[in-house]
Amino acid sequence: MQSARSSSARRALQSLCRKPHTATSSPTFLLTRRSLSYISYPRLTSPTPCNRQFKPAALPNTQIRHGSSSSAESLAKTPLFDFHVAHGGKMVPFGGFHMPVQYQGLSVSQSHTFTREHASIFDVSHMVQRIFSGPGAAAFLQRVTPSGVDALEEHRSTLSVLLRADGSGGIVDDTIITKLSANKFYVVTNAGCREKDDQYFEEELAKWDGEEVVQEQLNGWGLVALQGPEAEEVLGKVLDEDSGVGLKKLYFGQSVYAKLKLRGMQISSPVLISRGGYTGEDGFEISILGDETVDVTEALLAAGGPEKVQLAGLGARDSLRLEAGMCLYGHDLDELTTPAEAGLSWIIPKERRGADAGYYGAEKIASQLVLRSKGGAGVERRRVGFIVEGAPAREGAEIVSRPSDGGEASKIGVVTSGCPSPTLGKNVAMGYVKDGFHKSGTEVDVLVRGKPRKAVVAKMPFVPTKYWKGVAPA
């Protein structure tokens, strides 16, 4: 017999697939413009500085938490926690959850390489899955982000950022937004910023004066990422034929609902399959009912076998995303950084690049998008990639100019992420440098343990991406 929670979650899933969201008895977090309600969840810790900047005003009928314990007892568990332990996962605190950093039998480097050559399954259930629905949902999201979500086709996704309401253009968090229907959007935000983002949305919905918007958190749901060149083959083996889904016609940035074949001749509830990920490889992220997450993960492992698919943890995920030139919030992005400085101008569509676009910080960001040489404000600093000689450069390492003609070196920036690249056999890093030092091929020094190491500005991604866009990747 299904538990009350399981039955409730299934009703929520049916709502996801068939009609706009309304308040239900499911274990979710609901926010509307007209009335705010808060359903408690475990207190979370953050591995990044996510909670340091945003300070919302007090809201009526709203519980706001500040700070959290980092003790093991306070950490939440994803639906795959016991599964990870059973499969030799080394568990560490991350984003307020017990998460696997790697698995017994594979080093981080080996897991990284396996993903590039075959496929790996990552548990990303710690991420916050949200639904924004209602006649005002698109307009609301277009106020707090620079994205043109109203113009997205159904089941299309875009990378976006939440922006500070003070007009500074600072990034509160980065996010993926998927348009499920005209008035319904699936929004995934970072686990480490959960409390800060909740407070942000609470305040923004409280002062929203447009048409009604409802926010729902899919607490307790699973989210797994199947990444790598053999991901399509593995997922194809478990797709239920009656779903009528052809993965060859599901392109990067698209999503679809489907059912999966589980072990024992069972069929899953509908899952949301999104083509994309955080590794630079072809792959999929699959949103699953919490009590079916283990079954789906086991089905994927069995479909591929150990030669084609393995479990992977946070360690490999970080080195893979860095090779792909992708940002990690709290390190490469923060509330003092704008999209233009972060090299994310491409997420702003042409029709929203004016100062009157209507999103927070539009005036400042629009001025930064125009170079000083063309009459705009430009930017003082830029996010760039580096190839570093010698020891790897880590977060916080200073970047200095290289002395010439007897001159002195001066600080021009800081490293925000760095690691050895298993694919390239070189040390890669990203960071921010003063405008003018950002061009590919520029030589600088990075201070590693106090010693200058030569670094060369390099284009990102460091490793070519292999997203499926209808043409076989080179």
Side-chain angles (χ1 to χ4, degrees):
M1 179 180 294
Q2 296 176 353
S3 67
R5 177 169 181 168
S6 173
S7 299
S8 176
R10 291 178 193 280
R11 288 194 296 273
L13 180 62
Q14 291 170 355
S15 175
L16 262 175
C17 299
R18 298 175 186 170
K19 61 184 180 180
H21 280 261
T22 56
T24 71
S25 60
S26 56
T28 54
F29 176 169
L30 298 177
L31 287 174
T32 70
R33 175 177 63 85
R34 300 188 177 104
S35 63
L36 298 175
S37 62
Y38 189 95
I39 298 178
S40 183
Y41 48 79
R43 294 173 66 86
L44 302 177
T45 60
S46 170
T48 65
C50 283
N51 295 318
R52 294 181 181 174
Q53 296 290 331
F54 183 70
K55 296 179 180 179
L59 300 176
N61 303 319
T62 304
Q63 178 182 354
I64 297 179
R65 299 189 178 112
H66 298 276
S68 58
S69 169
S70 60
S71 66
E73 291 77 9
S74 70
L75 295 175
K77 298 178 180 179
T78 76
L80 289 173
F81 174 81
D82 292 333
F83 178 87
H84 295 314
V85 173
H87 284 78
K90 180 180 178 181
M91 310 303 288
V92 298
F94 186 85
F97 282 77
H98 295 279
M99 296 296 294
V101 67
Q102 67 182 97
Y103 290 84
Q104 186 177 359
L106 279 181
S107 68
V108 170
S109 179
Q110 289 171 330
S111 184
H112 175 115
T113 301
F114 190 91
T115 307
R116 290 271 184 249
E117 296 177 351
H118 303 287
S120 294
I121 297 172
F122 299 82
D123 180 10
V124 289
S125 306
H126 62 306
M127 303 290 281
V128 188
Q129 302 179 69
R130 307 171 188 266
I131 298 291
F132 286 87
S133 60
F140 173 77
L141 291 172
Q142 289 190 161
R143 182 163 81 172
V144 300
T145 79
S147 298
V149 298
D150 195 37
L152 284 176
E153 296 179 13
E154 289 189 11
H155 281 278
R156 289 274 188 172
S157 302
T158 181
L159 175 68
S160 192
V161 291
L162 304 177
L163 295 167
R164 286 182 60 92
D166 60 4
S168 67
I171 299 172
V172 175
D173 198 4
D174 57 336
T175 180
I176 298 290
I177 301 175
T178 301
K179 186 175 186 177
L180 298 178
S181 65
N183 296 324
K184 185 159 59 179
F185 297 85
Y186 172 64
V187 178
V188 179
T189 55
N190 284 299
C193 295
R194 180 189 292 257
E195 290 191 10
K196 184 182 76 164
D197 290 348
D198 287 348
Q199 294 164 10
Y200 176 85
F201 285 127
E202 285 168 2
E203 181 170 304
E204 291 308 314
L205 285 166
K207 65 187 181 185
W208 176 246
D209 58 359
E211 294 184 279
E212 186 175 23
V213 182
V214 177
Q215 182 202 175
E216 180 178 356
Q217 265 190 37
L218 305 183
N219 291 332
W221 285 50
L223 186 64
V224 299
L226 176 64
Q227 300 284 294
E230 294 184 314
E232 181 185 298
E233 178 185 347
V234 172
L235 181 57
K237 290 181 178 179
V238 301
L239 274 177
D240 178 36
E241 293 82 359
D242 292 339
S243 295
V245 174
L247 294 180
K248 284 294 182 186
K249 294 184 178 180
L250 183 68
Y251 304 129
F252 174 74
Q254 294 183 330
S255 65
V256 67
Y257 283 106
K259 294 182 179 181
L260 305 179
K261 295 182 289 187
L262 307 178
R263 305 179 80 173
M265 304 300 289
Q266 299 295 310
I267 301 296
S268 76
S269 302
V271 300
L272 180 63
I273 301 172
S274 303
R275 195 151 200 168
Y278 196 50
T279 65
E281 293 291 331
D282 183 26
F284 308 87
E285 292 190 347
I286 308 170
S287 178
I288 315 161
L289 279 172
D291 62 358
E292 293 185 4
T293 307
V294 171
D295 292 337
V296 168
T297 305
E298 288 180 338
L300 292 170
L301 283 174
E307 298 82 13
K308 291 183 180 292
V309 63
Q310 295 274 358
L311 298 171
L314 296 171
R317 188 168 180 255
D318 191 53
S319 56
L320 288 161
R321 69 92 189 168
L322 184 51
E323 286 188 347
M326 296 181 177
C327 297
L328 176 63
Y329 192 85
H331 301 260
D332 312 304
L333 302 174
D334 58 32
E335 294 192 21
L336 301 178
T337 303
T338 69
E341 293 170 326
L344 297 177
S345 301
W346 58 271
I347 71 173
I348 307 173
K350 183 178 180 180
E351 63 273 15
R352 304 207 78 204
R353 293 192 165 212
D356 59 351
Y359 61 84
Y360 290 143
E363 184 175 354
K364 178 171 183 177
I365 293 171
S367 69
Q368 290 183 331
L369 294 177
V370 181
L371 298 175
R372 292 180 206 169
S373 61
K374 295 185 178 181
V379 294
E380 297 289 335
R381 62 186 184 127
R382 296 175 183 268
R383 181 175 66 92
V384 296
F386 303 94
I387 301 294
V388 184
E389 295 183 0
R394 304 294 186 181
E395 179 182 5
E398 289 189 4
I399 304 167
V400 299
S401 60
R402 303 204 86 195
S404 60
D405 300 326
E408 292 186 2
S410 60
K411 181 178 178 180
I412 58 171
V414 65
V415 171
T416 54
S417 290
C419 72
S421 163
T423 304
L424 300 178
K426 301 176 181 180
N427 298 317
V428 297
M430 71 169 70
Y432 287 82
V433 295
K434 290 181 179 179
D435 187 43
F437 290 88
H438 65 283
K439 295 181 180 179
S440 181
T442 299
E443 295 183 355
V444 298
D445 282 332
V446 177
L447 301 184
V448 180
R449 293 189 287 274
K451 296 182 178 180
R453 303 288 185 180
K454 180 182 175 181
V456 179
V457 175
K459 291 182 178 179
M460 295 186 288
F462 299 104
V463 175
T465 57
K466 299 176 183 177
Y467 306 131
W468 177 246
K469 299 181 179 180
V471 178

